[in-house]
Amino acid sequence: MKQISILFFTLLLLGACVKAPTQTDNFVKIVDGRFSINDKPYYYIGTNFWYAAILGSQGQGGNRERLLKELDFMKANGITNLRVLVGADGIDGIMTKAEPALQTAPGVYNDTIFDGLDFFLSELGKRGMHAVLFLNNSWEWSGGYSQYLYWSGHGEVPMPKVAGWNAFSNYVAQYAKSEKAHKLFENHVRQVVSRVNRYTKLKFSDDPAIMAWQIGNEPRPFGEENKESFAKWIAECAALIKSIDPNHLISVGSEGMAGCEGDLGLWVKLHQDINIDYSTIHKLHLLPGRKPEYCSCHQDTQP
């Protein structure tokens, strides 16, 4: 009897020393320069699905029946990784701008859209699919740079469809050096990344359905003189996200050469940051006398 008791105690002790499986084992990781889940290679076909939070909502633009059908259709056809806008910024009713917006004023949120994002992520997890969630945007169609500049006192936004491309690009060029705009975006990042999903009861930071956070959609410095400030801002954003959420990958969302004023050295610098986990290229670049080397897609390259 004494020997049995000793054996039982030994087994309990050994059991306590064995690492129990954790939820973080299901996260997409980088292993030896490749995507991996549970120590197995992770391959996928992905697509942009920017409107997922709106479609998943129960308000304007929402249609959950359609969302579920689209997710099932993509899964059945091998598309398992979706690149999604967290939410638009600013008031509704602006020409060429997505609506309804998530962040209607600095730190003020349309809960209907947050609910749609929660629902979308819960359904994504049920299907074993993943999302890349982008948080900002160079372009006017979801607010982003221009909206943060407007909120921080830089004047009215010259919408490119009305005022022209030059007026718009000169306006958003102020973003790289605007500490006020950066602070507003920082607050937004904290709000989103630390959110708890009302359907799964998981913090976003603990949700394996999220593959990665992407700082922005095609973030640009908008000017040679802004490169240093731009790189600094990207590094600060990545460090902030990683400090809140060490579980998920982080990417820039860069187009590549077009997003770095034609400077591939800047692109390399951005992606060498310790908190940037993989690189992105959005545009097809043709080198003189050579065949195409990059495909037009998102989150397609490894570190």
Side-chain angles (χ1 to χ4, degrees), residues 17-80:
C17 295
V18 175
K19 181 184 177 184
T22 64
Q23 195 166 39
T24 56
D25 293 333
N26 296 322
F27 283 77
V28 180
K29 302 290 185 183
I30 301 292
V31 178
D32 296 328
R34 296 186 180 276
F35 294 128
S36 172
I37 299 179
N38 286 320
D39 296 322
K40 296 179 181 179
Y42 171 56
Y43 302 102
Y44 64 86
I45 298 173
T47 188
N48 279 299
F49 196 57
W50 69 265
Y51 51 89
I54 296 174
L55 194 59
S57 76
Q58 299 185 84
Q60 177 189 347
N63 187 332
R64 290 187 171 179
E65 182 180 356
R66 174 185 159 187
L67 173 66
L68 299 182
K69 286 181 178 179
E70 291 193 4
L71 291 179
D72 289 340
F73 175 83
M74 287 186 283
K75 179 68 182 291
N77 286 275
I79 299 171
T80 60

Side-chain angles (χ1 to χ4, degrees), residues 33-264:
R34 296 186 180 276
F35 294 128
S36 172
I37 299 179
N38 286 320
D39 296 322
K40 296 179 181 179
Y42 171 56
Y43 302 102
Y44 64 86
I45 298 173
T47 188
N48 279 299
F49 196 57
W50 69 265
Y51 51 89
I54 296 174
L55 194 59
S57 76
Q58 299 185 84
Q60 177 189 347
N63 187 332
R64 290 187 171 179
E65 182 180 356
R66 174 185 159 187
L67 173 66
L68 299 182
K69 286 181 178 179
E70 291 193 4
L71 291 179
D72 289 340
F73 175 83
M74 287 186 283
K75 179 68 182 291
N77 286 275
I79 299 171
T80 60
N81 194 296
L82 308 179
R83 183 171 176 267
V84 174
L85 170 69
V86 167
D89 315 294
I91 62 173
D92 295 337
I94 305 297
M95 186 176 65
T96 73
K97 193 171 174 186
E99 59 179 60
L102 169 66
Q103 188 178 195
T104 57
V108 179
Y109 294 93
N110 178 351
D111 189 64
T112 300
I113 302 302
F114 254 149
D115 183 74
L117 182 60
D118 288 349
F119 180 79
F120 162 72
L121 288 172
S122 71
E123 292 297 323
L124 209 63
K126 292 176 184 177
R127 290 162 175 78
M129 299 170 73
H130 294 87
V132 174
L133 301 179
F134 64 93
L135 294 154
N136 205 328
N137 198 349
S138 282
W139 314 118
E140 80 289 353
W141 64 264
S142 72
Y145 277 23
S146 57
Q147 189 61 56
Y148 286 111
L149 286 168
Y150 174 76
W151 281 336
S152 54
H154 291 270
E156 292 291 331
V157 179
M159 299 298 277
K161 287 288 186 181
V162 177
W165 167 251
N166 288 338
F168 176 76
S169 61
N170 288 337
Y171 182 83
V172 290
Q174 301 174 92
Y175 185 82
K177 297 178 180 178
S178 176
E179 293 184 8
K180 289 182 178 180
H182 293 174
K183 182 63 178 177
L184 293 180
F185 177 60
E186 176 186 318
N187 294 340
H188 177 60
V189 168
R190 293 182 184 278
Q191 182 75 28
V192 172
V193 178
S194 62
R195 180 174 174 78
V196 177
N197 187 312
R198 67 188 52 174
Y199 295 95
T200 65
K201 309 306 179 186
L202 290 174
K203 288 183 177 180
F204 278 13
S205 58
D206 293 331
D207 188 352
I210 299 173
M211 170 183 160
W213 297 104
Q214 201 162 84
I215 292 171
N217 175 59
E218 302 182 345
R220 290 186 176 191
F222 287 102
E224 191 76 21
E225 68 282 2
N226 290 328
K227 287 182 180 179
E228 185 176 341
S229 298
F230 173 68
K232 180 175 180 289
W233 173 68
I234 290 291
E236 289 173 349
C237 287
L240 172 61
I241 297 170
K242 194 69 81 173
S243 71
I244 303 170
D245 178 3
N247 292 324
H248 288 106
L249 303 177
I250 299 175
S251 58
V252 174
S254 174
E255 300 162 88
M257 185 180 291
C260 292
E261 312 297 340
D263 183 353
L264 284 180

